[in-house]
Amino acid sequence: MDQTRRREKLDHLFHPRSLALIGATRSVTKWGFIVLARIINDGYAGEIYPVNPKEKSILGLPAYASVLDIPEPVDLAVITTPAPAVPEVMEQCGRKGVPAAVVITSGFSETGVEGAALEQRVSEIARAHGIVMVGPNSMGIYSAAAQLTCLMAPVMPRPGHVACIAQSGNVGTHFLFRGYLRGLGFRKFVSSGNEGGLDFVDYLDYFGADPEITSIIAYLEGLDPGNRFLEVAKRVTREKPIVVLKGGRSAAGAQAAASHTGALAGSTGLYTGLFRQTGVIQAETNKEVVELARALETQSLPQGRRVGILTRGGGWGVITADACVEAGLTLTELAPETIARLDRLLPPFWSRGNPVDLVAVLSSQVYLDCLRILLADPGVDAVLALGANVEAQADNIMQALGRIEKVPAEEMERMKAKSRKEGQAFVDGIVGLIQTGGKPILMAGRWTASREWDTRLQMLAEPEEAARVLAKMVDYAEYLRR
Amino acid sequence: MDQTRRREKLDHLFHPRSLALIGATRSVTKWGFIVLARIINDGYAGEIYPVNPKEKSILGLPAYASVLDIPEPVDLAVITTPAPAVPEVMEQCGRKGVPAAVVITSGFSETGVEGAALEQRVSEIARAHGIVMVGPNSMGIYSAAAQLTCLMAPVMPRPGHVACIAQSGNVGTHFLFRGYLRGLGFRKFVSSGNEGGLDFVDYLDYFGADPEITSIIAYLEGLDPGNRFLEVAKRVTREKPIVVLKGGRSAAGAQAAASHTGALAGSTGLYTGLFRQTGVIQAETNKEVVELARALETQSLPQGRRVGILTRGGGWGVITADACVEAGLTLTELAPETIARLDRLLPPFWSRGNPVDLVAVLSSQVYLDCLRILLADPGVDAVLALGANVEAQADNIMQALGRIEKVPAEEMERMKAKSRKEGQAFVDGIVGLIQTGGKPILMAGRWTASREWDTRLQMLAEPEEAARVLAKMVDYAEYLRR
């Protein structure tokens, strides 16, 4: 199948007008029920045809004995029947003219030699009929545009513009879950399973060409020999960032990967070299994948690696300076003009250098002003801002006061409402600077008064994490400038 | 002051029968109010004497014009008056015979040359009168036995057996806050401030000798020349672990530290060498400090670095294997006996190696049995267990089912209660293995169904974090065996 043709077929996969759930069941603990229920429940608007020879109807929809009995065309077959039945099912899909299939059923190459033979049969049938196939042993797909949540795991993706390719369903759905909590929205998702049909690079190529996708994240264990990763990734990273968590970096990890997906995980050096050549951003942890994607979605790319640090506590400034240096960033020396401007706002004994320690100043207006001044310094490529949780702190102080029963309740409510309003203005102010400042602002701190604020600010718990995210953004920006 | 005498005086600091809050005020935004309110509110049982020449009473307690006007003996003076007044206040404390003081007031050496001169005067007065002094520029102290929460920050420490020394009040109180969330209890806490009187090593010595303290955590920026760290730390680590986060590891961080506490942060190599020689565990992040302390409080020390991994998803096994190797651990090869025992519990296509992938098995009983088998393998020094959140997953699946409105409400409630009960038994089972297995079990995963369970299991979000914590426990255990 050539590239254009494959992309067209993949459109049927992610934008199906109709789908058949082959292996649908009324048994609530089986995937044939859970996946079907999720598809219905999460709002898929196309036609849904449950297929089960023993049932008349399932979850209120008429059931069909086989895909061949469905009177209308079927764009997508989702297969959950037991493994031995899958070749026959795939054959029927071929005869029906179904262009795309997701095989959720497990018990194929991941279980040994017999399973591998069965998988090969299924793959050959799909190929012979020109069916693009996800899996087998996939945990499903997601498509925001189609409102299609064809997933085993009970996770509700947040719609957005990131695509995800996962060579582990558990890790991939974890990305979706974490993204949900952190305000990262997804356009398309695929758990690629054993990759008996479509493989990692096919998805990369397809997501790369999709104008609605602004970045791609992936969990990768291994690539087949002779794949087109180098060529495809090189092209895609020019358009949008690719963030990869590589499983099997160590020998022990590679051995575990061989047993998991049968992937030839290759040596660390091989993949790291491949990523470096293609501008792919390699994340170190699964958490970092999501945080990086979030930062790349919302922030400007830094023009260099010189960081300005804003802190509310000397110790945190020290920790953050260490974290920046250890991540490969540098601390900028502030311009005399910047110091002079900050002098006008801060107590005479402020650090007068970078990190900028606000000392005991609690006003969120001063915080914003200092942030603006720091951003304006020509030597600052990015700001790492700590302790932007004034209102949360105010809330806590008030709570502590409240316990003493000296402050009247109405007064307390008034103070709380005021602090809440100031907090909202503060968050809006920072988000405004992120959107218009042309330089990234990474935040780290304990918490704000609301999860919504945390999400809008992409507040990270640890300065070390923020420094690593920033450093990888710098690396990518440098790659693009080369 | 000799060591024995200093320790006696420190007892007055952390176990005062009475205290004077010098600088007490009715003004709710000032530290003289906030700190006093916290001391009263959090249950300190000794006598409290507010000192303020302009007030008759504060927060319902009679106020005194000066410490000299208090008719009874005063064990501890907590000072929040403006900096220029502190020398006089300290002089009066000396005349009153107060043995210990906490100077919360800032505006001393951290602000420049003038402040440094003022600090020296205060220190000299304290020394002349034999007063042990915390600070100046301290954020306060905490003592569980005295129920004394003499802290600026609105954080409520959890009582327990860890001591904390912080050369940054913000970082130190963050340890308390994080400890509260993670089930880590504290015996004594000190924010050492500018260390004009007592210094880091004095506290280390004192906490080292305290039989109620089982481990010590610290944020350290620098030590004075000629300090006794080497001798004291060497002695203390034989009795209890010391976990240190060193601020100022990089040149930029050291410069920031110099501006923060004036500490001579020294070169990275110097401190790392010092820690290695003395068996001090160096944490890499502030989060790791608390997680390490928690693990050291509750877990056995590992006898070696060979890890067994238990996972519920192949991808997570790969990620964890990588994380272990990168943290300096090794993956054990399972004994044939162990594989044979696991064979009896798991589907025929399980990985039959380490990581032990439970494949699709969801039963918590099987999970516990596999964990027990893995722990019993003579080649396993520690287990890293993932995906122990069955009941949370069951809850989620039920929620998803519930939305479809096919499952009757009573049936749903019954299923939930059952899942809850199974969850409780599961957590009890794991905690039992932790307590009696003689080997550490580190857990990582998304979440359990309750924060209480997370806390009891010390569930870490990321396998990478669990691997690093375990590796540092191994290093400490190896040091002790040397």
Side-chain angles (χ1 to χ4, degrees):
Chain A
M1 213 181 293
D2 73 6
Q3 190 168 289
T4 317
R5 186 94 189 87
R6 194 185 294 109
R7 284 186 192 165
E8 280 172 26
K9 294 260 181 175
L10 275 150
D11 280 341
H12 290 286
L13 184 65
F14 287 102
H15 305 274
R17 282 156 307 174
S18 62
L19 67 82
L21 196 314
I22 306 173
T25 165
R26 288 164 173 278
S27 169
V28 299
T29 59
K30 291 201 170 159
W31 297 122
F33 175 86
I34 293 169
V35 174
L36 178 62
R38 295 218 56 195
I39 293 172
I40 298 171
N41 192 52
D42 294 350
Y44 173 64
E47 290 301 319
I48 306 172
Y49 306 108
V51 173
N52 181 326
K54 291 178 198 149
E55 301 285 354
K56 285 251 157 57
S57 86
I58 297 173
L59 282 168
L61 297 168
Y64 297 86
S66 88
V67 71
L68 292 166
D69 297 307
I70 300 169
E72 303 293 326
V74 171
D75 262 0
L76 172 63
V78 179
I79 301 168
T80 64
T81 51
V86 175
E88 173 61 18
V89 163
M90 192 60 78
E91 184 59 46
Q92 292 174 346
C93 287
R95 296 211 316 263
K96 173 73 183 168
V98 177
V102 176
V103 184
I104 288 187
T105 309
S106 60
F108 291 92
S109 59
E110 82 280 9
T111 63
V113 179
E114 273 179 58
L118 190 63
E119 181 170 316
Q120 202 173 340
R121 266 184 64 206
V122 173
S123 303
E124 276 163 15
I125 296 165
R127 197 175 311 121
H129 288 284
I131 300 171
V132 290
M133 178 179 82
V134 178
N137 193 23
S138 161
M139 281 182 74
I141 64 168
Y142 165 77
S143 169
Q147 262 190 257
L148 175 62
T149 313
C150 171
L151 292 173
M152 289 161 71
V155 62
M156 179 72 97
R158 184 189 285 266
H161 295 279
V162 177
C164 176
I165 313 165
Q167 284 189 342
S168 155
N170 284 307
V171 176
T173 49
H174 181 72
F175 289 158
L176 295 177
F177 173 71
R178 201 187 271 279
Y180 180 81
L181 294 180
R182 296 291 289 161
L184 185 72
F186 290 87
R187 200 86 212 138
K188 293 186 167 85
F189 166 90
V190 62
S191 156
S192 69
N194 297 357
E195 301 189 358
L198 293 165
D199 72 7
F200 191 92
V201 181
D202 294 328
Y203 301 118
L204 197 63
D205 171 70
Y206 178 69
F207 294 157
D210 185 336
E212 299 218 301
I213 289 170
T214 47
S215 51
I216 300 169
I217 65 175
Y219 173 71
L220 172 68
E221 288 192 355
L223 296 165
D224 284 335
N227 68 78
R228 300 163 298 127
F229 182 84
L230 190 77
E231 171 235 321
V232 173
K234 226 175 202 167
R235 172 160 41 81
V236 173
T237 54
R238 288 284 149 196
E239 301 286 329
K240 55 192 88 172
I242 303 173
V243 180
V244 170
L245 178 65
K246 174 67 178 70
R249 297 184 299 271
S250 64
Q255 201 184 318
S259 139
H260 174 221
T261 49
L264 297 166
S267 72
T268 307
L270 187 134
Y271 280 93
T272 301
L274 209 51
F275 297 151
R276 204 167 288 151
Q277 264 181 283
T278 52
V280 167
I281 306 169
Q282 186 172 10
E284 284 161 59
T285 66
N286 67 82
K287 185 174 190 184
E288 200 173 88
V289 171
V290 171
E291 297 301 335
L292 257 165
R294 180 71 208 283
L296 289 160
E297 285 286 291
T298 51
Q299 302 267 3
S300 312
L301 279 179
Q303 293 300 306
R305 53 181 73 246
R306 299 165 307 169
V307 181
I309 296 171
L310 193 63
T311 176
R312 241 179 232 293
W316 289 113
V318 174
I319 286 175
T320 308
D322 284 340
C324 284
V325 172
E326 286 167 8
L329 302 166
T330 59
L331 257 67
T332 201
E333 196 162 322
L334 299 182
E337 163 75 356
T338 302
I339 293 181
R341 292 178 68 192
L342 289 168
D343 270 340
R344 275 171 240 142
L345 291 171
L346 295 175
F349 51 87
W350 78 279
S351 55
R352 305 191 89 246
N354 187 19
V356 174
D357 184 354
L358 297 181
V359 206
V361 178
L362 278 170
S363 145
S364 53
Q365 191 52 55
V366 172
Y367 190 101
L368 272 179
D369 290 342
C370 291
L371 184 53
R372 203 171 284 120
I373 292 168
L374 204 49
L375 276 173
D377 188 308
V380 167
D381 298 314
V383 171
L384 224 156
L386 280 82
N389 35 19
V390 210
E391 281 65 31
Q393 288 168 348
D395 270 9
N396 274 291
I397 290 171
M398 282 187 289
Q399 251 176 34
L401 291 182
R403 282 205 304 265
I404 306 157
E405 294 171 64
K406 283 275 157 186
V407 185
E410 319 86 79
E411 172 67 4
M412 189 66 79
E413 280 315 305
R414 204 190 54 76
M415 282 163 71
K416 273 191 185 161
K418 180 164 170 274
S419 138
R420 189 91 202 154
K421 199 176 154 197
E422 281 172 10
Q424 188 67 58
F426 181 57
V427 172
D428 290 346
I430 293 179
V431 172
L433 288 177
I434 290 173
Q435 286 166 349
T436 62
K439 296 177 181 178
I441 304 172
L442 279 280
M443 318 279 298
R446 210 149 83 178
W447 77 103
T448 69
S450 89
R451 168 169 276 174
E452 183 224 323
W453 292 357
D454 281 349
T455 303
R456 289 188 65 204
L457 296 175
Q458 199 193 359
M459 182 76 79
L460 274 155
E462 317 299 334
E464 295 88 355
E465 296 170 342
R468 281 194 294 263
V469 165
L470 183 56
K472 297 202 166 162
M473 293 171 76
V474 171
D475 290 342
Y476 178 55
E478 276 188 358
Y479 172 86
L480 291 180
R481 279 196 300 274
R482 256 188 252 157
Chain B
M1 214 182 294
D2 74 5
Q3 190 168 287
T4 317
R5 186 93 190 89
R6 193 187 295 109
R7 283 187 192 164
E8 279 171 26
K9 294 260 181 175
L10 275 150
D11 280 339
H12 290 286
L13 185 64
F14 287 103
H15 304 274
R17 283 156 306 173
S18 62
L19 68 81
L21 196 313
I22 307 173
T25 164
R26 288 164 172 276
S27 168
V28 299
T29 60
K30 292 202 170 159
W31 298 122
F33 175 86
I34 293 169
V35 175
L36 178 62
R38 295 219 55 195
I39 293 172
I40 298 170
N41 191 52
D42 294 351
Y44 173 64
E47 290 300 318
I48 306 172
Y49 306 108
V51 174
N52 182 327
K54 291 178 200 149
E55 302 284 355
K56 286 250 156 59
S57 85
I58 297 175
L59 283 168
L61 297 168
Y64 296 85
S66 89
V67 71
L68 292 167
D69 297 307
I70 299 169
E72 302 293 325
V74 171
D75 262 359
L76 173 63
V78 178
I79 300 169
T80 64
T81 51
V86 175
E88 172 60 18
V89 163
M90 193 61 78
E91 183 60 45
Q92 292 173 345
C93 287
R95 297 212 313 264
K96 172 74 183 167
V98 176
V102 177
V103 184
I104 288 188
T105 310
S106 61
F108 290 93
S109 60
E110 82 281 9
T111 63
V113 179
E114 273 178 59
L118 191 62
E119 181 170 316
Q120 203 174 338
R121 268 185 62 207
V122 173
S123 303
E124 277 164 12
I125 296 166
R127 197 175 311 120
H129 289 283
I131 300 173
V132 290
M133 178 178 81
V134 178
N137 193 26
S138 161
M139 282 182 72
I141 64 168
Y142 166 76
S143 169
Q147 260 189 258
L148 176 62
T149 312
C150 172
L151 293 172
M152 289 161 70
V155 61
M156 179 72 97
R158 184 189 286 266
H161 295 279
V162 177
C164 176
I165 312 165
Q167 285 189 340
S168 154
N170 284 307
V171 175
T173 49
H174 181 73
F175 289 158
L176 295 178
F177 173 71
R178 202 187 269 281
Y180 179 81
L181 295 179
R182 296 290 289 161
L184 185 72
F186 290 87
R187 200 85 212 138
K188 293 186 166 85
F189 166 89
V190 61
S191 155
S192 69
N194 297 357
E195 301 189 357
L198 293 165
D199 72 8
F200 190 91
V201 180
D202 294 328
Y203 301 118
L204 198 62
D205 171 70
Y206 178 69
F207 294 157
D210 185 336
E212 298 219 301
I213 290 170
T214 47
S215 52
I216 300 170
I217 65 175
Y219 173 70
L220 172 67
E221 289 192 355
L223 296 165
D224 285 336
N227 68 77
R228 299 164 299 129
F229 182 83
L230 190 76
E231 172 234 322
V232 173
K234 227 176 202 166
R235 172 161 39 83
V236 173
T237 54
R238 288 283 151 197
E239 301 286 330
K240 54 191 89 172
I242 303 174
V243 180
V244 170
L245 178 65
K246 174 66 178 70
R249 297 185 298 272
S250 65
Q255 202 183 319
S259 137
H260 174 221
T261 48
L264 296 168
S267 72
T268 306
L270 188 134
Y271 280 93
T272 301
L274 208 51
F275 297 151
R276 204 166 288 151
Q277 264 181 283
T278 52
V280 167
I281 307 170
Q282 186 172 10
E284 284 161 58
T285 66
N286 66 81
K287 185 175 188 182
E288 201 173 88
V289 171
V290 170
E291 297 301 336
L292 257 165
R294 181 72 207 282
L296 290 160
E297 284 285 293
T298 51
Q299 303 266 2
S300 312
L301 279 180
Q303 293 300 306
R305 54 181 71 246
R306 299 164 307 168
V307 181
I309 296 172
L310 191 64
T311 176
R312 241 178 231 294
W316 289 114
V318 174
I319 286 175
T320 307
D322 285 340
C324 285
V325 172
E326 286 167 9
L329 302 165
T330 59
L331 257 68
T332 201
E333 196 162 321
L334 299 182
E337 162 76 354
T338 302
I339 293 183
R341 293 178 69 193
L342 290 168
D343 270 341
R344 275 171 238 141
L345 291 171
L346 296 174
F349 51 87
W350 78 278
S351 54
R352 306 192 89 246
N354 185 19
V356 175
D357 184 356
L358 297 181
V359 206
V361 178
L362 278 171
S363 145
S364 53
Q365 190 52 53
V366 173
Y367 191 100
L368 272 180
D369 289 342
C370 291
L371 184 52
R372 203 172 284 118
I373 292 168
L374 203 49
L375 276 174
D377 188 308
V380 167
D381 298 313
V383 172
L384 223 156
L386 279 81
N389 35 18
V390 210
E391 281 66 29
Q393 286 168 349
D395 270 9
N396 274 292
I397 291 171
M398 283 186 289
Q399 250 175 36
L401 291 181
R403 282 205 303 266
I404 306 157
E405 296 171 63
K406 282 277 158 186
V407 185
E410 320 87 79
E411 172 67 4
M412 188 67 78
E413 281 314 305
R414 203 189 54 75
M415 282 163 72
K416 271 190 185 161
K418 180 164 170 275
S419 137
R420 188 91 202 155
K421 199 176 153 196
E422 281 173 9
Q424 188 67 58
F426 182 57
V427 172
D428 289 345
I430 293 179
V431 171
L433 288 177
I434 290 174
Q435 286 166 348
T436 62
K439 296 177 181 179
I441 304 172
L442 279 280
M443 319 279 298
R446 211 148 83 178
W447 77 102
T448 69
S450 89
R451 168 169 276 174
E452 183 224 323
W453 293 356
D454 281 349
T455 303
R456 288 189 64 204
L457 296 175
Q458 199 193 1
M459 182 76 80
L460 273 155
E462 317 299 333
E464 295 88 355
E465 297 170 342
R468 280 194 294 264
V469 165
L470 183 56
K472 298 204 164 160
M473 293 170 75
V474 171
D475 291 342
Y476 178 55
E478 276 188 357
Y479 172 86
L480 290 181
R481 279 196 299 276
R482 256 188 252 155

